[in-house]
Amino acid sequence: MTVKVEASADAIPHNTLLIVGLIGSIVCIYLTYLNTITGLDVFSFFGGIGAIIALIWGTSTIKRLCSYGIGTGVPSAGMVAFGAGIIAMLVGTKFGIMSPVAALIIAAVSGAIFGYLADSVLNMKIPVLVQSLAELSIIGALTIMGFTAMATGDFTFGVLTAGTISIFGFAVPAAQASFVGGGITAVAFMLGGIAIQHPFNAALGPSNTQDRTLMLAAECGFLSMIMMAIISFAFISMGSALLGLLIAIIGWGYTYAQFIDLSKRDAADWLDAKMIVETED
Amino acid sequence: MSAIAAKPAGGAEMPKGPAAIAIVLLLVVVGIGYYMTMAGFFTMAIFYSLIGIIVGGMLVTFSVHLVPVGGAPAAMGQAPGIATGVTMLAAGAGLAGLFKGAWAAQFGYLPALGTGAIGGALLMALTCMFVNVTYVYGMGIPSASGKVRNDPITGDSQDEYKSQGTEGHGLPFISYVGGVLGGLIGGFGGTLIYISLYDAYVNGLPTLMGGTTESIMPIAVSVAGIFAIGMFLVNAVLTAYNITGTIEGPHDPKFKRFPRAIVASAVASALTGLLALMIIVPMPF
């Protein structure tokens, strides 16, 4: 039994973030289904928003797990989240309209089993480990699914594996032009992985505050969303991809400014360093 | 603030109750796989793929225990090993092997597995060499183990070279050998996972998606690759949780903990492997 040492007292309890993150992320991913209903693809950006909501929740989970001192560094929690999440997400895409819910259930069950193995078989003896690894697996699955929905406008296996290339003006089906066949799952995997590993790892330490950590999570999420928006130009119409890119850039700019403000608030002092003056010989 | 502090090292014994539950879980998952084979969802080859994934996962887990991981103390020259975390090193060695093995997958099982093993070992050998170059010529410290008095292979004494107040530093010969062996076994295991999945998808996806083998090849390769990476990371992190912090190599007392990690990894690999193979089962949606 390890001793729990809180990095900082939380203004928002973790359970509130859990419920808001879970529901918000699922709802946002389902909003991309409006694409299929209306026949447009302007609603794709909701996938990215859903991924960011999941990442904010994930940062809170990592903070809660790492307050017990897991001894292997903060990024390992992010790696297991996405390792388990990608498997649950890709299997989940087989379930058609039920995909996000199926991915959630598969991730929760497999994450809980990994948590049990780490907690009891490997003798970690951390009280929140089972719940945390189950949460992290769900977060991994929902983040990758959100980014996938943002890039392609859909989250079903059939659409993700179907692509066309144009040869002399004729559209020819080609799997290598699809989201999965082109290996973009790996990019989505790493973009999400970076966004979940960084925030708590960077913001931990003395005078860690919850709002600053979560703002950094949102900032990292929007940064990854910019990348996904650029990738989405290959799969969805120009206007929709531009809309996604615009939202991602505005969101990133806002959260970045907010994060700098919060850092200035928490810092002991803020000195504006000037560029080094070059002297002429 | 304990988020970066390592927790005290636990014992090496395997807890009996949870281990029994883990083995029952493993049998249940393999049983589901066998039932699906009998019911006609899987061919027998796919069931063998599941076994291949489990064996590959167990090899990966064992290999990670051999790699000398120093973590943050090693970066300051206060502990032997490579100055990064278990997960990162395992992912580096295993994925280097996996990519090499994937490149050779078209030549059949033996060349692919051999190439994967050599790829992982080569990466670890180069990493260990440059770690020692940095320590010896950059930081000016000799290689000395803190856990044993004499190197088990060369018999060189270690105590005289160890600085006071440290647990040893640099990469002694036994740690180097452990690192290369770890890369060899890890690359082999990672490639075994990949090639098992690849075989199952190349045979299963054309019937599912109604295309020729050539047209689904990109899907088979990328899905097998991403699943292999996912399984590799799950196994590496479970091993990292078993080691908790740093390990010097095969002579470290923590090395004796590997049986329980292998039990955990067998269950985790069986579960993720079964899920990954479900991709080729047609769903009524």
Side-chain angles (χ1 to χ4, degrees):
Chain A
M1 175 77 189
T2 44
V3 182
K4 187 181 185 194
V5 181
E6 280 279 9
S8 63
D10 290 346
I12 311 171
H14 175 72
N15 284 344
T16 312
L17 278 169
L18 190 162
I19 293 164
V20 172
L22 188 66
I23 295 172
S25 161
I26 288 276
V27 166
C28 279
I29 292 173
Y30 265 117
L31 281 176
T32 62
Y33 197 73
L34 288 172
N35 284 340
T36 316
I37 295 171
T38 57
L40 303 167
D41 47 16
V42 286
F43 301 104
S44 304
F45 70 88
F46 278 115
I49 306 282
I52 291 168
I53 294 174
L55 286 170
I56 294 174
W57 162 33
T59 303
S60 175
T61 308
I62 287 191
K63 179 177 172 184
R64 184 158 173 254
L65 173 63
C66 290
S67 64
Y68 286 91
I70 52 176
T72 55
V74 176
S76 72
M79 294 320 276
V80 75
F82 279 77
I86 185 88
I87 295 169
M89 174 262 170
L90 270 181
V91 178
T93 55
K94 298 267 294 176
F95 289 81
I97 171 78
M98 293 302 290
S99 292
V101 178
L104 187 150
I105 293 168
I106 295 168
V109 171
S110 52
I113 291 178
F114 298 147
Y116 175 76
L117 291 172
D119 191 38
S120 299
V121 180
L122 301 180
N123 251 342
M124 291 285 282
K125 297 279 181 286
I126 291 177
V128 297
L129 193 61
V130 176
Q131 193 201 338
S132 294
L133 282 194
E135 279 181 39
L136 283 171
S137 303
I138 298 172
I139 289 155
L142 290 183
T143 305
I144 302 171
M145 188 168 268
F147 281 146
T148 305
M150 175 168 183
T152 60
D154 205 298
F155 47 69
T156 52
F157 192 71
V159 177
L160 297 184
T161 52
T164 50
I165 50 173
S166 167
I167 299 174
F168 301 120
F170 296 101
V172 180
Q176 67 266 31
S178 66
F179 187 83
V180 171
I184 303 182
T185 24
V187 182
F189 177 95
M190 258 359 270
L191 284 175
I194 294 167
I196 204 164
Q197 286 171 12
H198 181 63
F200 182 63
N201 212 10
L204 63 71
S207 81
N208 168 294
T209 48
Q210 191 193 26
D211 51 356
R212 180 161 55 95
T213 314
L214 297 186
M215 191 58 78
L216 182 58
E219 192 256 332
C220 291
F222 275 114
L223 207 53
S224 294
M225 190 177 163
I226 294 178
M227 288 293 139
M228 274 338 269
I230 292 168
I231 289 171
S232 72
F233 277 98
F235 297 103
I236 58 177
S237 67
M238 187 74 157
S240 311
L242 268 178
L243 178 68
L245 185 62
L246 201 68
I247 289 172
I249 290 176
I250 291 173
W252 177 74
Y254 174 75
T255 48
Y256 184 74
Q258 286 291 308
F259 175 65
I260 293 289
D261 280 350
L262 290 173
S263 299
K264 282 183 180 172
R265 183 200 67 189
D266 291 344
D269 200 359
W270 187 273
L271 296 171
D272 218 354
K274 297 285 183 294
M275 296 291 280
I276 297 171
V277 184
E278 283 187 25
T279 49
E280 304 263 331
D281 287 329
Chain B
M1 182 66 236
S2 76
I4 46 173
K7 74 183 195 117
E13 75 286 350
M14 188 174 331
K16 290 205 174 54
I21 295 175
I23 289 170
V24 170
L25 262 176
L26 171 67
L27 291 177
V28 167
V29 174
V30 175
I32 294 172
Y34 190 71
Y35 170 76
M36 291 188 76
T37 315
M38 291 296 111
F41 291 112
F42 287 174
T43 60
M44 207 60 200
I46 292 176
F47 184 67
Y48 290 141
S49 287
L50 180 62
I51 303 294
I53 292 165
I54 298 173
V55 174
M58 287 157 76
L59 284 175
V60 165
T61 302
F62 176 68
S63 76
V64 179
H65 287 81
L66 290 164
V67 176
V69 181
M76 298 178 283
Q78 294 183 346
I82 304 167
T84 182
V86 180
T87 322
M88 301 301 145
L89 264 179
L95 297 182
L98 197 158
F99 292 146
K100 293 284 279 181
W103 169 79
Q106 49 183 322
F107 301 114
Y109 263 73
L110 279 180
L113 291 173
T115 319
I118 297 295
L122 197 61
L123 182 117
M124 282 313 295
L126 287 171
T127 311
C128 289
M129 188 179 86
F130 282 102
V131 163
N132 255 353
V133 166
T134 314
Y135 277 133
V136 176
Y137 296 105
M139 294 164 78
I141 52 176
S143 299
S145 162
K147 298 276 165 60
V148 284
R149 293 183 65 83
N150 291 307
D151 192 309
I153 297 180
T154 60
D156 294 338
S157 62
Q158 307 286 315
D159 273 357
E160 298 89 324
Y161 301 97
K162 192 161 77 83
S163 310
Q164 272 190 347
T166 68
E167 297 172 33
H169 29 63
L171 275 184
F173 190 76
I174 177 73
S175 298
Y176 194 112
V177 172
V180 176
L181 267 180
L184 199 73
I185 301 173
F188 186 93
T191 313
L192 187 60
I193 295 178
Y194 170 79
I195 207 161
S196 300
L197 286 168
Y198 172 81
D199 253 16
Y201 293 151
V202 165
N203 295 321
L205 280 179
T207 17
L208 174 74
M209 297 174 63
T212 57
T213 309
E214 284 74 33
S215 67
I216 60 96
M217 202 57 128
I219 306 280
V221 170
S222 60
V223 174
I226 196 83
F227 275 147
I229 293 173
M231 287 174 199
F232 201 97
L233 287 175
V234 168
N235 279 318
V237 173
L238 283 179
T239 317
Y241 287 169
N242 189 35
I243 295 173
T244 53
T246 65
I247 186 167
E248 274 190 27
H251 59 292
D252 195 299
K254 282 186 186 174
F255 182 71
K256 295 196 182 71
R257 294 184 192 174
F258 80 82
R260 66 185 189 201
I262 287 187
V263 171
S265 144
V267 182
S269 309
L271 180 70
T272 47
L274 187 67
L275 284 175
L277 292 172
M278 291 276 194
I279 281 275
I280 56 176
V281 178
M283 298 276 177
F285 297 106

